[in-house]
């Protein structure tokens, strides 16, 4: 158990809809990362937060947004969903911004129909 | 900026050795290695820092050649539990390689 909690585990929704994925980092970790993993693909970095502030952006679509709250949990909002957004979304946390191991949650599997 | 991993896939018999390579077109200051079993989350194996020592995790070791911007993961006397997809991560872990699928068979 990594200590990182992601909810929900599975999400099935229709095109055009909006969903929110939630992540609670490991106790003591200040940094949260979001990744997208499509079927049999690698991990695509979306965005990173550190202690409530956005620190880095990757290949995150404009339809996607995220935030980290004062209690350090984070949410990833996906809107105007398309079939291609179907993927496994991982949240990971670490103690520092860099050079610290990432601890991954079990992911949220999003299916857009 | 995504690092390139090779090979893409490898099948081993228990007890055999394997090497997985990770190359970057950008200067590397650190490399992280993770293993992901099918249907599970990636799990951290080790981190190699610029100027640091070779790291080990059980019978898995890794090296980091800063000049060549490469890292290699060495799996010695592989066990069935080593099966999974191995990813290297670079650039503050914003960039992960495409992965190497490793299958160990009895």
């Amino acid at each position: 158990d990594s200590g990182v909690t992601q909810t929900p585990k599975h999400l099935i929704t229709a095109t055009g809809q909006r969903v929110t994925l939630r992540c609670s980092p490991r106790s003591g970790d200040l940094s949260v990362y979001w990744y997208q993993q499509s079927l049999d693909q690698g991990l695509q970095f979306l965005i990173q937060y550190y202690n409530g502030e956005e620190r880095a952006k990757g290949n995150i679509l404009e339809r996607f947004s995220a935030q980290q709250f004062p209690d350090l949990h984070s949410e990833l909002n996906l809107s105007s969903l398309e079939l291609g957004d179907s993927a496994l979304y991982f949240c990971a946390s670490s103690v520092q911004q860099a050079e610290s191991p990432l601890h991954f949650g079990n992911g949220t599997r999003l299916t857009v129909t | 900026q995504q690092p390139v991993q090779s090979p893409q896939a490898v099948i081993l018999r228990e007890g055999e050795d394997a090497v997985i390579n990770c190359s970057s077109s950008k200067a590397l200051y650190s490399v992280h290695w993770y293993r992901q079993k099918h249907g599970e989350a990636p799990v951290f194996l080790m981190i190699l820092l610029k100027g640091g020592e070779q790291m080990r995790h059980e019978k898995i070791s890794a090296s980091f050649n800063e000049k060549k911007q490469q890292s290699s993961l060495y799996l010695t006397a592989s066990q069935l539990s080593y099966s999974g997809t191995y990813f290297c991560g670079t650039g503050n872990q914003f960039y992960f390689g495409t992965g190497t699928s490793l299958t160990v068979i009895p």
Side-chain angles (χ1 to χ4, degrees), chain A residues 32-75:
Chain A
V32 170
Y33 300 71
W34 286 97
Y35 295 89
Q36 179 192 58
Q37 186 174 43
S38 300
L39 191 64
D40 295 329
Q41 296 295 311
L43 294 156
Q44 297 298 317
F45 170 67
L46 296 177
I47 197 164
Q48 182 214 1
Y49 283 85
Y50 179 79
N51 203 21
E53 293 186 5
E54 179 185 305
R55 284 306 173 99
K57 258 186 175 180
N59 298 322
I60 187 166
L61 300 171
E62 285 191 10
R63 300 183 285 109
F64 296 0
S65 64
Q67 54 183 328
Q68 186 179 29
F69 295 87
D71 66 353
L72 300 178
H73 91 271
S74 178
E75 292 182 356

Side-chain angles (χ1 to χ4, degrees), chain A residues 33 35 37 40-45 48 55-56 88 90 94 97-107, chain B residues 2 29-32 34 36 38-44 47-49 87 92-99:
Chain A
Y33 300 71
Y35 295 89
Q37 186 174 43
D40 295 329
Q41 296 295 311
L43 294 156
Q44 297 298 317
F45 170 67
Q48 182 214 1
R55 284 306 173 99
L88 193 53
F90 283 108
S94 69
Q97 295 185 64
E99 316 307 353
S100 299
L102 292 182
H103 301 273
F104 283 82
N106 288 328
Chain B
Q2 183 179 35
Y29 298 95
S30 66
V31 177
H32 301 239
Y34 292 80
Q36 183 178 28
H38 185 68
E40 299 181 7
V43 174
F44 172 76
I47 176 175
L48 297 104
L49 303 176
F87 293 101
N92 291 340
Q93 308 195 76
F94 301 153
Y95 305 106
F96 279 86
T98 49

